[in-house]
Amino acid sequence: MNLGIHLFTSAGTLVNLDYFRSSLTHDVAPGETVTFDITHLPHPGPGEHLLEIDLVDEGFCWFKQWGTVAQRVKLTVVDEGD
């Protein structure tokens, strides 16, 4: 089981289905909370983006396909020269 992140444009167009993956350290029970510290994401380029965070059972499905709600968060990237 992995945590996966899809990258979208700010308008909601899919850019990268496999933008980021991180393994779970153990099986997570229903209702249990797990915290991830993601310290480095691939640079998507400057601008506004959306990250969709979901669990994935590799080779089987994304949890969203089975009715869970994948969280979307806004990501703003500013070039250092701006």
Side-chain angles (χ1 to χ4, degrees):
M1 193 79 54
N2 290 318
L3 174 81
I5 300 177
H6 308 306
L7 176 67
F8 291 84
T9 66
S10 60
T13 303
L14 180 64
V15 175
N16 188 336
L17 184 65
D18 291 314
Y19 180 63
F20 180 84
R21 301 266 176 113
S22 182
S23 297
L24 294 166
T25 58
H26 64 280
D27 288 341
V28 179
E32 181 181 357
T33 299
V34 177
T35 301
F36 285 85
D37 290 321
I38 300 172
T39 57
H40 179 74
L41 289 173
H43 194 291
E48 302 288 326
H49 310 278
L50 293 173
L51 302 178
E52 185 174 81
I53 303 165
D54 198 3
L55 292 174
V56 58
D57 188 351
E58 299 296 343
F60 183 63
C61 73
W62 291 88
F63 279 43
K64 181 180 174 180
Q65 294 172 287
W66 290 91
T68 64
V69 177
Q71 182 69 41
R72 281 197 177 183
V73 295
K74 182 178 168 182
L75 172 67
T76 303
V77 178
V78 179
D79 277 344
E80 291 181 13
D82 289 346

